[in-house]
């Protein structure tokens, strides 16, 4: 779960959502390029657990997240996301840094096409067996109420070589201030040498958010299926309920 960062007002079109958007080189490039209409967004969030594709990557502990984004009217975007965790026995410690960037454009009326790359690194306080990192390239389509994405990684969290992930998402506004979101996906290891991780693993999340001014109150249920453990996570719970709060800055 990540906080929404306001985006896209300059371009007058939506971008394919739910990304921690940044890539170090791209971020530097777009900041240097500059634009009077470029949009900068930031948000801060807190969650009872950090669940990523059905796995707890905060060892079941609370997290705080800062997201910063930069959006050019050309469709190029970049952002950075950093988080800390209330670790077991060590106090507040760094958890995750993600750098991501790409390009979004209107493919046809009401539909946005999006391509990009993300690199994320997790610390040893994440509950994983060691420091882990991954890089993914992705491409997707997003409409007002639904989206789809494919992501490809050459070395997913260091535990499997090539992986492919497919994902479907949906969003419904119940009122002007209440929305429901859902995501379902499957991660497929492509390297048969990793026999224990050779099975596809599905995951799903259903969440609801209530906006109160600039603040968003959130709750979500997550679940994942049986499969090879690519994460080496110490948390074996396959289902969880998460609460959180976020605010645009």
């Amino acid at each position: 779960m990540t906080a929404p960062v306001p985006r896209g007002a300059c371009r007058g079109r939506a971008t394919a959502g739910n990304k921690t958007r940044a890539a170090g080189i791209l971020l530097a490039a777009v900041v240097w390029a500059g634009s009077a209409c470029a949009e900068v967004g930031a948000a801060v969030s807190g969650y009872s657990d950090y669940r990523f594709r059905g796995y707890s990557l905060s060892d079941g502990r609370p997290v705080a997240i800062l997201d910063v984004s930069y959006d050019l009217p050309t469709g190029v975007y970049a952002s950075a996301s950093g988080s800390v965790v209330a670790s077991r026995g060590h106090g507040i410690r760094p958890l995750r840094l993600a750098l991501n960037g790409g390009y979004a454009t209107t493919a046809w009326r009401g539909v946005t096409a999006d391509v990009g790359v993300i690199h994320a690194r997790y610390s040893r306080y994440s509950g994983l067996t060691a420091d882990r990192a991954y890089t993914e390239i992705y491409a997707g389509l997003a409409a007002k109420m639904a989206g789809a994405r494919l992501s490809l990684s050459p070395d997913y969290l260091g535990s499997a070589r090539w992986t492919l992930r497919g994902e479907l998402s949906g969003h419904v506004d119940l009122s002007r201030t209440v929305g429901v979101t859902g995501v379902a996906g499957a991660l497929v290891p492509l390297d048969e040498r990793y026999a224990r991780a050779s099975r596809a693993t599905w995951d799903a999340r259903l969440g609801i958010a209530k906006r109160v001014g600039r603040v968003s109150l959130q709750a979500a249920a997550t679940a994942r299926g049986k499969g090879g453990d690519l994460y080496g996570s110490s948390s074996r719970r396959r289902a969880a309920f998460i609460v959180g709060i976020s605010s645009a800055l």
Side-chain angles (χ1 to χ4, degrees):
M1 301 173 68
T2 58
V5 179
R7 312 172 48 79
C10 280
R11 297 198 310 271
R13 59 175 181 256
T15 58
N18 201 12
K19 295 184 275 291
T20 46
R21 309 175 193 259
I25 295 176
L26 181 58
L27 181 59
V30 297
V31 170
W32 176 82
S35 171
C37 194
E39 181 183 359
V40 177
V44 61
S45 313
Y47 297 103
S48 59
D49 189 2
Y50 183 84
R51 287 266 160 173
F52 179 66
R53 297 174 178 175
Y55 284 84
S56 175
L57 297 190
S58 64
D59 197 19
R61 306 289 289 177
V63 299
I65 303 170
L66 175 64
D67 293 304
V68 179
S69 69
Y70 191 88
D71 192 3
L72 282 171
T74 58
V76 174
Y77 61 79
S79 74
S81 177
S83 58
V84 295
V85 59
S87 65
R88 299 182 188 275
H90 298 281
I92 304 300
R93 289 291 185 269
L95 174 65
R96 175 180 183 265
L97 175 64
L99 304 174
N100 171 236
Y103 176 76
T105 187
T106 301
W108 57 86
R109 185 173 182 179
V111 177
T112 298
D114 187 24
V115 294
V117 60
I118 181 169
H119 177 79
R121 181 170 295 275
Y122 293 87
S123 76
R124 64 187 180 93
Y125 301 103
S126 63
L128 301 175
T129 54
D131 294 359
R132 296 287 189 91
Y134 75 94
T135 300
E136 279 186 341
I137 57 174
Y138 58 81
L141 295 173
K144 181 178 180 180
M145 298 177 62
R149 173 182 289 188
L150 286 175
S151 303
L152 183 68
S153 174
D155 191 10
Y156 190 68
L157 289 172
S159 60
R161 297 284 181 184
W162 289 88
T163 58
L164 178 67
R165 175 175 168 83
E167 183 177 286
L168 297 175
S169 61
H171 175 87
V172 176
D173 289 322
L174 302 182
S175 70
R176 293 181 61 185
T177 60
V178 178
V180 174
T181 59
V183 179
L187 184 72
V188 182
L190 302 180
D191 195 325
E192 295 182 356
R193 292 178 296 170
Y194 290 80
R196 290 183 57 193
S198 61
R199 294 176 56 186
T201 303
W202 66 264
D203 63 89
R205 183 179 75 246
L206 181 64
I208 186 169
K210 165 70 174 178
R211 295 192 306 276
V212 183
R214 297 175 66 86
V215 174
S216 174
L217 305 176
Q218 303 172 32
T222 73
R224 61 177 173 84
K226 295 181 179 179
D229 187 356
L230 300 177
Y231 299 86
S233 172
S234 60
S235 175
R236 303 302 175 186
R237 292 172 55 198
R238 291 169 50 200
F241 182 76
I242 304 165
V243 296
I245 183 171
S246 63
S247 177
L249 299 178

